[in-house]
Amino acid sequence: MEAMKLIAGNWKMNGLKAGAAELEALLAAEVPAGVELLLCPPATLVAAFAGLAEGSKLGIGAQDCHWEVSGAHTGDISAEMLADAGARDIIVGHSERRADHGETDAIVRRKAEAAHRAGCTPIVCVGETLAERDSGETLAVIARQLEGSVPEGIAGLVVAYEPVWAIGTGRTPTTEQVRQVHAAIAARMPAGTRILYGGSVKPANAAELLSVPHVHGALVGGASLKAADFLAIAAGAAT
Ligand code: PGA
């Protein structure tokens, strides 16, 4: 049987307590067969959302973690704390964190290991910039990022391919470009590793992107903020 498609929402730095209305709408909806839904709100909402989603089919995750269990790291949050708050999965190495916080592959790797140590599924993000794509380096960049930031031996680890130039821009790669990168990632990862596509996924393009070989789900930013759009994307995964 085909593995379930994972449709993960990344709210980024969006969402106040009032955002629970969108969560309620997600919880009230029927999750299409063959689809697993995950929502990663900001850390401030993880505990509340995990409480509301308990017993439902919706998983709650986090967007980042520190690699240490605890200690003198003002403002940081450990994977253990997020797991304690109810996070099931933790995104690590998102390109916005790599760019805004100077996260290297080595740091991302430690974060992925921390997520696993805490009992969460790491979702490790990789992706090339536009300059790297234009200079024909895409596959080399992806290979280097996988090599540096994906720890070995973590069963169930998820990889998200997110071309930096497609994030929040409304631009998406062609299905052939997606196919090529996902096939390259699949060839480097243990069999059964789920590989998500992310970058301007919306209801109108979800079904097409999700039908590409080795695309096992989507990591959705902007379109995950509205339950109706997020659910329409999930419906696209089911077709
Ligand atoms: P986007 O973001 O869907 O808003 O392009 C995707 C992401 O950054 O995960």
Side-chain angles (χ1 to χ4, degrees):
M1 204 189 96
E2 269 265 318
M4 303 264 279
K5 296 253 200 236
L6 174 60
I7 306 298
N10 170 13
W11 273 15
K12 308 190 178 184
M13 197 171 75
N14 297 288
L16 302 172
K17 281 189 283 184
E22 295 301 322
L23 177 70
E24 301 286 1
L26 287 181
L27 292 173
E30 189 85 18
V31 179
V35 176
E36 194 184 329
L37 277 188
L38 172 73
L39 187 63
C40 301
T44 47
L45 294 177
V46 167
F49 279 24
L52 290 166
E54 203 173 337
S56 79
K57 287 191 174 164
L58 177 72
I60 299 297
Q63 302 172 12
D64 176 50
C65 65
H66 195 275
W67 56 86
E68 300 282 358
V69 177
S70 62
H73 300 286
T74 301
D76 277 314
I77 303 176
S78 73
E80 280 74 8
M81 291 168 173
L82 293 163
D84 186 50
R88 191 194 73 185
D89 305 52
I90 305 179
I91 299 169
V92 295
H94 190 282
S95 61
E96 286 154 13
R97 294 214 52 94
R98 290 177 186 260
D100 296 354
H101 300 271
E103 292 189 5
T104 61
D105 285 333
I107 289 173
V108 175
R109 184 192 193 96
R110 293 179 75 183
K111 291 184 172 203
E113 286 166 350
H116 176 65
R117 179 188 69 214
C120 297
T121 297
I123 300 177
V124 183
C125 302
V126 296
E128 82 285 1
T129 63
L130 191 56
E132 288 163 342
R133 174 158 288 276
D134 287 346
S135 58
E137 292 172 74
T138 298
L139 294 183
V141 168
I142 301 299
R144 194 183 66 226
Q145 290 178 337
L146 289 174
E147 176 80 18
S149 47
V150 177
E152 274 159 36
I154 295 186
L157 177 141
V158 176
V159 173
Y161 168 54
E162 298 205 302
V164 177
W165 52 274
I167 295 175
T169 59
R171 292 183 60 190
T172 49
T174 63
T175 49
E176 175 51 25
Q177 288 171 326
V178 175
R179 189 201 60 72
Q180 194 189 32
V181 177
H182 278 245
I185 296 172
R188 290 184 161 268
M189 298 300 297
T193 302
R194 284 197 286 184
I195 308 165
L196 313 183
Y197 168 77
S200 295
V201 177
K202 46 186 185 268
N205 62 19
E208 189 183 18
L209 288 163
L210 286 157
S211 69
V212 175
H214 300 296
V215 174
H216 309 115
L219 183 51
V220 186
S224 71
L225 293 168
K226 287 269 161 276
D229 287 348
F230 193 48
L231 290 165
I233 290 167
T239 52

